[in-house]
Amino acid sequence: MSETCTETTPATATRITDHAGITVVAVTGEIDMSCEQPIRATILRQLDRRPDGLVLDLAEVDFFGSAGIQLVVEAALRAERLDVPLAVATDRRTVLRPLEITLVNETVDVHPTLRDALAALRAGVPSRQAANR
């Protein structure tokens, strides 16, 4: 497992790890308009590498605004275009509630833990995106 850590803003950091071909982008802190651009660039750069799968680990996100929702939607759309399976890992209400209210959770695979998200991608469990085609 390799790891790269990037300080995004004083309130936010991202960490990239590789889990046997599946890339995990873990975000710690806040996802709002003031810091979403570097997070977006990191996610899109990782997707463009076309890993076997990508997990957005949002388990340590303390604030998740509309920019965070847009970020997840954009990542899901790019992943679908590149045929890269994508999952979100979080059990935080701070993240889950906005995804539920906007119904994004119905189009993006959301798992309570990183372990669950990795297992689902490894097992090739069809994503909701593919099931809705």
Side-chain angles (χ1 to χ4, degrees):
M1 176 171 72
S2 62
E3 182 172 328
T4 305
C5 188
T6 306
E7 185 73 23
T8 306
T9 68
T12 306
T14 58
R15 186 177 69 252
I16 302 162
T17 55
D18 179 82
H19 293 258
I22 297 174
T23 299
V24 176
V25 177
V27 181
T28 302
E30 302 175 357
I31 302 178
D32 61 19
M33 291 186 341
S34 69
C35 65
E36 56 86 22
Q37 194 58 40
I39 299 168
R40 173 181 282 109
T42 298
I43 293 167
L44 297 182
R45 192 168 40 252
Q46 294 307 311
L47 282 169
D48 287 344
R49 293 178 56 242
R50 296 190 179 193
D52 294 337
L54 186 125
V55 176
L56 297 177
D57 184 355
L58 306 179
E60 298 298 322
V61 171
D62 299 322
F63 179 83
F64 190 76
S66 60
I69 297 165
Q70 183 176 353
L71 187 74
V72 170
V73 169
E74 284 182 30
L77 291 172
R78 178 64 117 351
E80 185 174 19
R81 277 195 305 274
L82 295 173
D83 199 27
V84 175
L86 178 121
V88 172
T90 189
D91 63 353
R92 290 221 130 147
R93 186 147 177 80
T94 305
V95 176
L96 292 173
R97 188 67 182 136
L99 294 178
E100 291 167 356
I101 289 170
T102 58
L103 303 178
V104 171
N105 67 317
E106 293 185 8
T107 60
V108 175
D109 287 327
V110 180
H111 301 273
T113 67
L114 175 58
R115 176 183 281 185
D116 292 338
L118 288 169
L121 291 182
R122 283 191 188 111
V125 175
S127 71
R128 290 184 187 127
Q129 297 164 337
N132 290 332
R133 284 187 206 160

